[in-house]
Amino acid sequence: MSEIQGKNIVLAITGGIAAYKTPELVRRLKDQGANIRVVMTEGAKAFITPLTLQAVSANPVSDSLLDPAAELAMGHIELAKWADMILVAPASADAIARISNGLANDLLTTICLASEAPLVLAPAMNQQMWRALATQENIERLQKRGVTIWGPGAGEQACGDVGPGRMLEVVELVELSVGFFQQSGIRALAGQKWVITAGPTREAIDPVRYISNHSSGKMGYAIAQAAARAGADVTIISGPVNLTTPTNCERIDVSSARDMHKHALSLASQADIFIACAAVADYRVAEVAEHKIKKTDDNDEMRIELVKNPDIVADVSKLNDKPFTVGFAAETQDVEKYALGKLTRKNLDLIAANNVATEGQGFNSDNNALTVYSKDDKYPLPLTSKSELASQLVNIIGQQFTKRQ
Ligand code: C5P
């Protein structure tokens, strides 16, 4: 279970166009199990309504320091004490300046001053306002005081400028929040290098066609995210997927099984742990046509000759300095028998087996169930989200790896 579960976060929203992203931020933080109370400045209310944020947070929104009714419900000091973290997102240049100067001229700045909770700012402003010496000095001063600054990102801005000043994306803020609480817990995998293959491979038939499979890459990416959160140095060798790279992970994009094999073999000998989560095509086209293959009128059949691809995980486990190696077995029948067969045949340390014929789990689904086997042990991990399952799996891998050291 993630450390953010049950944590109290005050989300303080200031006036900036990025405020339109905050309802989604609230939803995603709540998905992670956090309790959210929203504080808004007057400026924030010009961009987004308190009613929206009340609805998504399922809590009243606080927006005034001097409202007797609100003070009676949960006063500003109470709110400041309730918080395990105060996240100011978006943090405008004005809010940054006021917080940095220790002002208490509205509810937001008063709570920042009155709370012992860690303070995190996600700046969002025009690139020139961000670059301005006044803003930079304020940021530096805040950092010296131990305030955490997330972002800003760079790119196209609402005003049309391009440069630094964009609020980080919601997924990034959620990931950083989860990691923030994790840091105060155990970073059990600090110093370990994990290499993970993920997603499908594509085997070209001609310049426009290929053979592939339904792997979404979600399981491999969830494992990468869980390992990175626990402090591991993670590289994903990724087939073509539609996923964003998890925070603090390196990603190498590949297409074919041979591409993936080349990168895996070059990285694996420096890795502590290698996880083969990719759905690698077992065969590739013997001779890839140089030009698009044309349909012919005189023949209703077409034959493509296939040859075997290298087995990436089996080759990794043959290395002299073999990392702790984990494979996956996606089966439609006799799951345990086939999984144990692969464990031995591919010389793996662990194998995670799942039944992809079962509705609602496996390929492309957000949920999965696995049974993890070593030579001597068996760990059933029942159906849950891929993200939760990945945390459980990463724990088992981490423990088994330490046991072998
Ligand atoms: O395809 P198979 O069921 O044998 O896959 C079992 C494990 O082997 C998986 O972890 C998969 O990522 C890995 N594998 C591989 N290279 C292949 C085929 C499978 O690394 N060519």
PDB file of all heavy atoms in Angstrom, residues 197 257 260-261 274-283 309-315 326-331 342 345-346 348 351-352, ligand 1:
ATOM      1  N   THR A 197      11.967  -4.660 -19.261  1.00  0.00           N
ATOM      2  CA  THR A 197      11.418  -4.594 -20.628  1.00  0.00           C
ATOM      3  C   THR A 197       9.903  -4.515 -20.519  1.00  0.00           C
ATOM      4  O   THR A 197       9.308  -5.107 -19.619  1.00  0.00           O
ATOM      5  CB  THR A 197      11.812  -5.812 -21.493  1.00  0.00           C
ATOM      6  OG1 THR A 197      11.165  -6.988 -20.991  1.00  0.00           O
ATOM      7  CG2 THR A 197      13.312  -6.034 -21.525  1.00  0.00           C
ATOM      8  N   ALA A 257      12.064  -7.184 -31.647  1.00  0.00           N
ATOM      9  CA  ALA A 257      12.642  -8.031 -30.594  1.00  0.00           C
ATOM     10  C   ALA A 257      14.176  -7.948 -30.619  1.00  0.00           C
ATOM     11  O   ALA A 257      14.820  -7.932 -29.572  1.00  0.00           O
ATOM     12  CB  ALA A 257      12.189  -9.474 -30.792  1.00  0.00           C
ATOM     13  N   MET A 260      15.275  -4.825 -28.948  1.00  0.00           N
ATOM     14  CA  MET A 260      15.105  -4.948 -27.488  1.00  0.00           C
ATOM     15  C   MET A 260      16.203  -5.843 -26.905  1.00  0.00           C
ATOM     16  O   MET A 260      16.786  -5.547 -25.865  1.00  0.00           O
ATOM     17  CB  MET A 260      13.721  -5.525 -27.189  1.00  0.00           C
ATOM     18  CG  MET A 260      13.346  -5.494 -25.736  1.00  0.00           C
ATOM     19  SD  MET A 260      11.643  -6.034 -25.452  1.00  0.00           S
ATOM     20  CE  MET A 260      10.728  -4.525 -25.584  1.00  0.00           C
ATOM     21  N   HIS A 261      16.526  -6.904 -27.644  1.00  0.00           N
ATOM     22  CA  HIS A 261      17.562  -7.856 -27.224  1.00  0.00           C
ATOM     23  C   HIS A 261      18.905  -7.139 -27.085  1.00  0.00           C
ATOM     24  O   HIS A 261      19.606  -7.264 -26.078  1.00  0.00           O
ATOM     25  CB  HIS A 261      17.627  -8.971 -28.270  1.00  0.00           C
ATOM     26  CG  HIS A 261      18.604 -10.060 -27.954  1.00  0.00           C
ATOM     27  ND1 HIS A 261      19.892 -10.072 -28.449  1.00  0.00           N
ATOM     28  CD2 HIS A 261      18.501 -11.156 -27.166  1.00  0.00           C
ATOM     29  CE1 HIS A 261      20.531 -11.146 -27.999  1.00  0.00           C
ATOM     30  NE2 HIS A 261      19.704 -11.822 -27.206  1.00  0.00           N
ATOM     31  N   PHE A 274      16.812  -7.641 -13.391  1.00  0.00           N
ATOM     32  CA  PHE A 274      16.290  -7.538 -14.758  1.00  0.00           C
ATOM     33  C   PHE A 274      14.897  -8.152 -14.777  1.00  0.00           C
ATOM     34  O   PHE A 274      14.706  -9.291 -14.346  1.00  0.00           O
ATOM     35  CB  PHE A 274      17.221  -8.291 -15.730  1.00  0.00           C
ATOM     36  CG  PHE A 274      16.758  -8.222 -17.157  1.00  0.00           C
ATOM     37  CD1 PHE A 274      17.077  -7.132 -17.958  1.00  0.00           C
ATOM     38  CD2 PHE A 274      15.980  -9.251 -17.696  1.00  0.00           C
ATOM     39  CE1 PHE A 274      16.641  -7.069 -19.268  1.00  0.00           C
ATOM     40  CE2 PHE A 274      15.534  -9.183 -19.015  1.00  0.00           C
ATOM     41  CZ  PHE A 274      15.870  -8.089 -19.799  1.00  0.00           C
ATOM     42  N   ILE A 275      13.925  -7.385 -15.246  1.00  0.00           N
ATOM     43  CA  ILE A 275      12.548  -7.893 -15.291  1.00  0.00           C
ATOM     44  C   ILE A 275      12.074  -7.904 -16.736  1.00  0.00           C
ATOM     45  O   ILE A 275      12.039  -6.867 -17.395  1.00  0.00           O
ATOM     46  CB  ILE A 275      11.601  -7.020 -14.435  1.00  0.00           C
ATOM     47  CG1 ILE A 275      12.137  -6.952 -13.004  1.00  0.00           C
ATOM     48  CG2 ILE A 275      10.188  -7.588 -14.446  1.00  0.00           C
ATOM     49  CD1 ILE A 275      11.335  -6.056 -12.092  1.00  0.00           C
ATOM     50  N   ALA A 276      11.717  -9.084 -17.218  1.00  0.00           N
ATOM     51  CA  ALA A 276      11.267  -9.207 -18.611  1.00  0.00           C
ATOM     52  C   ALA A 276       9.745  -9.214 -18.610  1.00  0.00           C
ATOM     53  O   ALA A 276       9.113 -10.247 -18.437  1.00  0.00           O
ATOM     54  CB  ALA A 276      11.816 -10.492 -19.220  1.00  0.00           C
ATOM     55  N   CYS A 277       9.197  -8.031 -18.763  1.00  0.00           N
ATOM     56  CA  CYS A 277       7.745  -7.903 -18.728  1.00  0.00           C
ATOM     57  C   CYS A 277       7.193  -7.753 -20.149  1.00  0.00           C
ATOM     58  O   CYS A 277       5.991  -7.813 -20.377  1.00  0.00           O
ATOM     59  CB  CYS A 277       7.394  -6.671 -17.885  1.00  0.00           C
ATOM     60  SG  CYS A 277       5.726  -6.704 -17.285  1.00  0.00           S
ATOM     61  N   ALA A 278       8.097  -7.553 -21.114  1.00  0.00           N
ATOM     62  CA  ALA A 278       7.634  -7.324 -22.487  1.00  0.00           C
ATOM     63  C   ALA A 278       7.010  -8.580 -23.071  1.00  0.00           C
ATOM     64  O   ALA A 278       7.396  -9.697 -22.723  1.00  0.00           O
ATOM     65  CB  ALA A 278       8.820  -6.891 -23.353  1.00  0.00           C
ATOM     66  N   ALA A 279       6.037  -8.356 -23.957  1.00  0.00           N
ATOM     67  CA  ALA A 279       5.457  -9.457 -24.723  1.00  0.00           C
ATOM     68  C   ALA A 279       6.221  -9.491 -26.051  1.00  0.00           C
ATOM     69  O   ALA A 279       5.863  -8.805 -27.010  1.00  0.00           O
ATOM     70  CB  ALA A 279       3.978  -9.212 -24.946  1.00  0.00           C
ATOM     71  N   VAL A 280       7.303 -10.242 -26.038  1.00  0.00           N
ATOM     72  CA  VAL A 280       8.212 -10.248 -27.199  1.00  0.00           C
ATOM     73  C   VAL A 280       7.658 -11.196 -28.258  1.00  0.00           C
ATOM     74  O   VAL A 280       7.227 -12.307 -27.936  1.00  0.00           O
ATOM     75  CB  VAL A 280       9.613 -10.732 -26.755  1.00  0.00           C
ATOM     76  CG1 VAL A 280      10.595 -10.666 -27.912  1.00  0.00           C
ATOM     77  CG2 VAL A 280      10.121  -9.929 -25.563  1.00  0.00           C
ATOM     78  N   ALA A 281       7.685 -10.765 -29.506  1.00  0.00           N
ATOM     79  CA  ALA A 281       7.237 -11.666 -30.585  1.00  0.00           C
ATOM     80  C   ALA A 281       8.202 -12.842 -30.662  1.00  0.00           C
ATOM     81  O   ALA A 281       9.418 -12.644 -30.712  1.00  0.00           O
ATOM     82  CB  ALA A 281       7.224 -10.911 -31.900  1.00  0.00           C
ATOM     83  N   ASP A 282       7.670 -14.055 -30.642  1.00  0.00           N
ATOM     84  CA  ASP A 282       8.539 -15.233 -30.678  1.00  0.00           C
ATOM     85  C   ASP A 282       9.209 -15.399 -32.040  1.00  0.00           C
ATOM     86  O   ASP A 282      10.298 -15.929 -32.141  1.00  0.00           O
ATOM     87  CB  ASP A 282       7.721 -16.485 -30.344  1.00  0.00           C
ATOM     88  CG  ASP A 282       7.308 -16.489 -28.876  1.00  0.00           C
ATOM     89  OD1 ASP A 282       8.116 -16.023 -28.049  1.00  0.00           O
ATOM     90  OD2 ASP A 282       6.183 -16.926 -28.567  1.00  0.00           O
ATOM     91  N   TYR A 283       8.512 -14.920 -33.085  1.00  0.00           N
ATOM     92  CA  TYR A 283       9.047 -15.077 -34.445  1.00  0.00           C
ATOM     93  C   TYR A 283       9.064 -13.747 -35.176  1.00  0.00           C
ATOM     94  O   TYR A 283       8.250 -12.869 -34.897  1.00  0.00           O
ATOM     95  CB  TYR A 283       8.182 -16.059 -35.240  1.00  0.00           C
ATOM     96  CG  TYR A 283       8.261 -17.469 -34.702  1.00  0.00           C
ATOM     97  CD1 TYR A 283       7.384 -17.896 -33.703  1.00  0.00           C
ATOM     98  CD2 TYR A 283       9.224 -18.343 -35.181  1.00  0.00           C
ATOM     99  CE1 TYR A 283       7.472 -19.185 -33.193  1.00  0.00           C
ATOM    100  CE2 TYR A 283       9.313 -19.641 -34.681  1.00  0.00           C
ATOM    101  CZ  TYR A 283       8.431 -20.048 -33.687  1.00  0.00           C
ATOM    102  OH  TYR A 283       8.535 -21.308 -33.189  1.00  0.00           O
ATOM    103  N   ASN A 309      12.880 -15.508 -32.977  1.00  0.00           N
ATOM    104  CA  ASN A 309      13.596 -14.385 -32.385  1.00  0.00           C
ATOM    105  C   ASN A 309      14.481 -14.874 -31.239  1.00  0.00           C
ATOM    106  O   ASN A 309      14.195 -15.923 -30.650  1.00  0.00           O
ATOM    107  CB  ASN A 309      12.584 -13.375 -31.829  1.00  0.00           C
ATOM    108  CG  ASN A 309      12.274 -12.277 -32.821  1.00  0.00           C
ATOM    109  OD1 ASN A 309      13.131 -11.892 -33.609  1.00  0.00           O
ATOM    110  ND2 ASN A 309      11.050 -11.787 -32.794  1.00  0.00           N
ATOM    111  N   PRO A 310      15.509 -14.108 -30.885  1.00  0.00           N
ATOM    112  CA  PRO A 310      16.278 -14.497 -29.695  1.00  0.00           C
ATOM    113  C   PRO A 310      15.400 -14.394 -28.462  1.00  0.00           C
ATOM    114  O   PRO A 310      14.500 -13.554 -28.409  1.00  0.00           O
ATOM    115  CB  PRO A 310      17.404 -13.460 -29.645  1.00  0.00           C
ATOM    116  CG  PRO A 310      16.915 -12.311 -30.457  1.00  0.00           C
ATOM    117  CD  PRO A 310      15.984 -12.870 -31.494  1.00  0.00           C
ATOM    118  N   ASP A 311      15.634 -15.254 -27.483  1.00  0.00           N
ATOM    119  CA  ASP A 311      14.886 -15.165 -26.218  1.00  0.00           C
ATOM    120  C   ASP A 311      15.680 -14.245 -25.291  1.00  0.00           C
ATOM    121  O   ASP A 311      16.751 -14.592 -24.807  1.00  0.00           O
ATOM    122  CB  ASP A 311      14.715 -16.554 -25.601  1.00  0.00           C
ATOM    123  CG  ASP A 311      13.724 -16.512 -24.444  1.00  0.00           C
ATOM    124  OD1 ASP A 311      13.858 -15.622 -23.575  1.00  0.00           O
ATOM    125  OD2 ASP A 311      12.809 -17.346 -24.417  1.00  0.00           O
ATOM    126  N   ILE A 312      15.149 -13.043 -25.082  1.00  0.00           N
ATOM    127  CA  ILE A 312      15.898 -11.994 -24.378  1.00  0.00           C
ATOM    128  C   ILE A 312      16.216 -12.414 -22.950  1.00  0.00           C
ATOM    129  O   ILE A 312      17.365 -12.386 -22.513  1.00  0.00           O
ATOM    130  CB  ILE A 312      15.099 -10.669 -24.402  1.00  0.00           C
ATOM    131  CG1 ILE A 312      14.847 -10.246 -25.856  1.00  0.00           C
ATOM    132  CG2 ILE A 312      15.833  -9.585 -23.621  1.00  0.00           C
ATOM    133  CD1 ILE A 312      13.877  -9.109 -26.034  1.00  0.00           C
ATOM    134  N   VAL A 313      15.183 -12.812 -22.227  1.00  0.00           N
ATOM    135  CA  VAL A 313      15.393 -13.111 -20.805  1.00  0.00           C
ATOM    136  C   VAL A 313      16.293 -14.337 -20.633  1.00  0.00           C
ATOM    137  O   VAL A 313      17.135 -14.383 -19.719  1.00  0.00           O
ATOM    138  CB  VAL A 313      14.041 -13.240 -20.061  1.00  0.00           C
ATOM    139  CG1 VAL A 313      13.335 -14.548 -20.324  1.00  0.00           C
ATOM    140  CG2 VAL A 313      14.215 -13.017 -18.574  1.00  0.00           C
ATOM    141  N   ALA A 314      16.155 -15.324 -21.535  1.00  0.00           N
ATOM    142  CA  ALA A 314      17.002 -16.521 -21.430  1.00  0.00           C
ATOM    143  C   ALA A 314      18.458 -16.137 -21.674  1.00  0.00           C
ATOM    144  O   ALA A 314      19.365 -16.630 -20.988  1.00  0.00           O
ATOM    145  CB  ALA A 314      16.539 -17.573 -22.432  1.00  0.00           C
ATOM    146  N   ASP A 315      18.698 -15.223 -22.628  1.00  0.00           N
ATOM    147  CA  ASP A 315      20.071 -14.792 -22.909  1.00  0.00           C
ATOM    148  C   ASP A 315      20.640 -13.959 -21.760  1.00  0.00           C
ATOM    149  O   ASP A 315      21.825 -14.072 -21.432  1.00  0.00           O
ATOM    150  CB  ASP A 315      20.140 -14.003 -24.224  1.00  0.00           C
ATOM    151  CG  ASP A 315      20.008 -14.932 -25.425  1.00  0.00           C
ATOM    152  OD1 ASP A 315      20.009 -16.163 -25.213  1.00  0.00           O
ATOM    153  OD2 ASP A 315      19.888 -14.431 -26.562  1.00  0.00           O
ATOM    154  N   VAL A 326      13.848 -11.835 -13.501  1.00  0.00           N
ATOM    155  CA  VAL A 326      12.428 -12.125 -13.285  1.00  0.00           C
ATOM    156  C   VAL A 326      11.721 -12.178 -14.642  1.00  0.00           C
ATOM    157  O   VAL A 326      11.878 -11.278 -15.461  1.00  0.00           O
ATOM    158  CB  VAL A 326      11.764 -11.011 -12.433  1.00  0.00           C
ATOM    159  CG1 VAL A 326      10.305 -11.343 -12.139  1.00  0.00           C
ATOM    160  CG2 VAL A 326      12.546 -10.785 -11.147  1.00  0.00           C
ATOM    161  N   GLY A 327      10.956 -13.246 -14.862  1.00  0.00           N
ATOM    162  CA  GLY A 327      10.205 -13.364 -16.114  1.00  0.00           C
ATOM    163  C   GLY A 327       8.710 -13.331 -15.854  1.00  0.00           C
ATOM    164  O   GLY A 327       8.261 -13.382 -14.702  1.00  0.00           O
ATOM    165  N   PHE A 328       7.970 -13.239 -16.914  1.00  0.00           N
ATOM    166  CA  PHE A 328       6.509 -13.291 -16.841  1.00  0.00           C
ATOM    167  C   PHE A 328       6.018 -14.455 -17.689  1.00  0.00           C
ATOM    168  O   PHE A 328       6.640 -14.787 -18.689  1.00  0.00           O
ATOM    169  CB  PHE A 328       5.893 -11.988 -17.367  1.00  0.00           C
ATOM    170  CG  PHE A 328       5.777 -10.944 -16.307  1.00  0.00           C
ATOM    171  CD1 PHE A 328       6.904 -10.291 -15.860  1.00  0.00           C
ATOM    172  CD2 PHE A 328       4.548 -10.647 -15.733  1.00  0.00           C
ATOM    173  CE1 PHE A 328       6.812  -9.342 -14.855  1.00  0.00           C
ATOM    174  CE2 PHE A 328       4.443  -9.702 -14.742  1.00  0.00           C
ATOM    175  CZ  PHE A 328       5.570  -9.045 -14.290  1.00  0.00           C
ATOM    176  N   ALA A 329       4.925 -15.048 -17.274  1.00  0.00           N
ATOM    177  CA  ALA A 329       4.313 -16.085 -18.093  1.00  0.00           C
ATOM    178  C   ALA A 329       2.840 -15.732 -18.247  1.00  0.00           C
ATOM    179  O   ALA A 329       2.093 -15.747 -17.277  1.00  0.00           O
ATOM    180  CB  ALA A 329       4.482 -17.442 -17.426  1.00  0.00           C
ATOM    181  N   ALA A 330       2.480 -15.346 -19.453  1.00  0.00           N
ATOM    182  CA  ALA A 330       1.067 -15.062 -19.731  1.00  0.00           C
ATOM    183  C   ALA A 330       0.514 -16.320 -20.389  1.00  0.00           C
ATOM    184  O   ALA A 330       0.921 -16.680 -21.493  1.00  0.00           O
ATOM    185  CB  ALA A 330       0.961 -13.877 -20.675  1.00  0.00           C
ATOM    186  N   GLU A 331      -0.364 -17.002 -19.684  1.00  0.00           N
ATOM    187  CA  GLU A 331      -0.852 -18.292 -20.183  1.00  0.00           C
ATOM    188  C   GLU A 331      -2.366 -18.284 -20.285  1.00  0.00           C
ATOM    189  O   GLU A 331      -3.046 -17.478 -19.646  1.00  0.00           O
ATOM    190  CB  GLU A 331      -0.423 -19.425 -19.214  1.00  0.00           C
ATOM    191  CG  GLU A 331       1.067 -19.468 -18.906  1.00  0.00           C
ATOM    192  CD  GLU A 331       1.925 -19.838 -20.101  1.00  0.00           C
ATOM    193  OE1 GLU A 331       1.368 -20.283 -21.120  1.00  0.00           O
ATOM    194  OE2 GLU A 331       3.153 -19.645 -20.041  1.00  0.00           O
ATOM    195  N   LYS A 342       9.001 -22.633 -17.462  1.00  0.00           N
ATOM    196  CA  LYS A 342       9.792 -21.483 -17.945  1.00  0.00           C
ATOM    197  C   LYS A 342      10.825 -21.044 -16.917  1.00  0.00           C
ATOM    198  O   LYS A 342      11.936 -20.642 -17.273  1.00  0.00           O
ATOM    199  CB  LYS A 342       8.879 -20.298 -18.279  1.00  0.00           C
ATOM    200  CG  LYS A 342       8.205 -20.466 -19.603  1.00  0.00           C
ATOM    201  CD  LYS A 342       7.214 -19.368 -19.909  1.00  0.00           C
ATOM    202  CE  LYS A 342       6.348 -19.825 -21.083  1.00  0.00           C
ATOM    203  NZ  LYS A 342       5.254 -18.944 -21.383  1.00  0.00           N
ATOM    204  N   ARG A 345      13.604 -23.638 -17.428  1.00  0.00           N
ATOM    205  CA  ARG A 345      14.197 -23.620 -18.768  1.00  0.00           C
ATOM    206  C   ARG A 345      14.963 -22.329 -19.042  1.00  0.00           C
ATOM    207  O   ARG A 345      16.036 -22.344 -19.638  1.00  0.00           O
ATOM    208  CB  ARG A 345      13.075 -23.786 -19.791  1.00  0.00           C
ATOM    209  CG  ARG A 345      13.557 -24.303 -21.117  1.00  0.00           C
ATOM    210  CD  ARG A 345      12.414 -24.731 -22.021  1.00  0.00           C
ATOM    211  NE  ARG A 345      11.464 -23.669 -22.306  1.00  0.00           N
ATOM    212  CZ  ARG A 345      10.211 -23.624 -21.837  1.00  0.00           C
ATOM    213  NH1 ARG A 345       9.761 -24.577 -21.047  1.00  0.00           N
ATOM    214  NH2 ARG A 345       9.403 -22.622 -22.147  1.00  0.00           N
ATOM    215  N   LYS A 346      14.425 -21.213 -18.541  1.00  0.00           N
ATOM    216  CA  LYS A 346      15.071 -19.923 -18.817  1.00  0.00           C
ATOM    217  C   LYS A 346      16.004 -19.503 -17.683  1.00  0.00           C
ATOM    218  O   LYS A 346      16.522 -18.393 -17.694  1.00  0.00           O
ATOM    219  CB  LYS A 346      14.010 -18.844 -19.050  1.00  0.00           C
ATOM    220  CG  LYS A 346      13.086 -19.162 -20.238  1.00  0.00           C
ATOM    221  CD  LYS A 346      12.295 -17.942 -20.676  1.00  0.00           C
ATOM    222  CE  LYS A 346      11.292 -18.312 -21.763  1.00  0.00           C
ATOM    223  NZ  LYS A 346      10.874 -17.196 -22.587  1.00  0.00           N
ATOM    224  N   LEU A 348      15.456 -18.636 -14.511  1.00  0.00           N
ATOM    225  CA  LEU A 348      15.005 -17.401 -13.867  1.00  0.00           C
ATOM    226  C   LEU A 348      15.065 -17.536 -12.347  1.00  0.00           C
ATOM    227  O   LEU A 348      15.020 -18.650 -11.807  1.00  0.00           O
ATOM    228  CB  LEU A 348      13.559 -17.095 -14.280  1.00  0.00           C
ATOM    229  CG  LEU A 348      13.278 -17.060 -15.780  1.00  0.00           C
ATOM    230  CD1 LEU A 348      11.794 -16.842 -16.046  1.00  0.00           C
ATOM    231  CD2 LEU A 348      14.094 -15.957 -16.444  1.00  0.00           C
ATOM    232  N   ILE A 351       9.326 -16.099 -11.398  1.00  0.00           N
ATOM    233  CA  ILE A 351       8.434 -15.912 -12.548  1.00  0.00           C
ATOM    234  C   ILE A 351       7.052 -15.492 -12.044  1.00  0.00           C
ATOM    235  O   ILE A 351       6.565 -15.997 -11.028  1.00  0.00           O
ATOM    236  CB  ILE A 351       8.371 -17.164 -13.458  1.00  0.00           C
ATOM    237  CG1 ILE A 351       7.660 -16.813 -14.776  1.00  0.00           C
ATOM    238  CG2 ILE A 351       7.715 -18.358 -12.768  1.00  0.00           C
ATOM    239  CD1 ILE A 351       8.107 -17.622 -15.963  1.00  0.00           C
ATOM    240  N   ALA A 352       6.487 -14.488 -12.715  1.00  0.00           N
ATOM    241  CA  ALA A 352       5.159 -13.996 -12.348  1.00  0.00           C
ATOM    242  C   ALA A 352       4.186 -14.491 -13.413  1.00  0.00           C
ATOM    243  O   ALA A 352       4.339 -14.157 -14.587  1.00  0.00           O
ATOM    244  CB  ALA A 352       5.169 -12.470 -12.298  1.00  0.00           C
TER     245      ALA A 352
HETATM  246  O1  C5P B   1       6.950 -15.926 -24.560  1.00  0.00           O
HETATM  247  P1  C5P B   1       7.208 -16.618 -23.247  1.00  0.00           P
HETATM  248  O2  C5P B   1       5.971 -17.104 -22.602  1.00  0.00           O
HETATM  249  O3  C5P B   1       8.297 -17.630 -23.330  1.00  0.00           O
HETATM  250  O4  C5P B   1       7.725 -15.420 -22.289  1.00  0.00           O
HETATM  251  C1  C5P B   1       8.111 -15.676 -20.981  1.00  0.00           C
HETATM  252  C2  C5P B   1       9.093 -14.623 -20.552  1.00  0.00           C
HETATM  253  O5  C5P B   1      10.173 -14.545 -21.463  1.00  0.00           O
HETATM  254  C3  C5P B   1       8.549 -13.218 -20.449  1.00  0.00           C
HETATM  255  O6  C5P B   1       9.134 -12.655 -19.309  1.00  0.00           O
HETATM  256  C4  C5P B   1       9.054 -12.532 -21.715  1.00  0.00           C
HETATM  257  O7  C5P B   1       9.269 -11.140 -21.508  1.00  0.00           O
HETATM  258  C5  C5P B   1      10.366 -13.240 -21.944  1.00  0.00           C
HETATM  259  N1  C5P B   1      10.727 -13.362 -23.356  1.00  0.00           N
HETATM  260  C6  C5P B   1      11.854 -12.738 -23.820  1.00  0.00           C
HETATM  261  N2  C5P B   1      12.230 -12.876 -25.124  1.00  0.00           N
HETATM  262  C7  C5P B   1      11.503 -13.599 -25.971  1.00  0.00           C
HETATM  263  C8  C5P B   1      10.337 -14.243 -25.531  1.00  0.00           C
HETATM  264  C9  C5P B   1       9.965 -14.083 -24.221  1.00  0.00           C
HETATM  265  O8  C5P B   1      12.531 -12.043 -23.034  1.00  0.00           O
HETATM  266  N3  C5P B   1      11.888 -13.720 -27.233  1.00  0.00           N
END
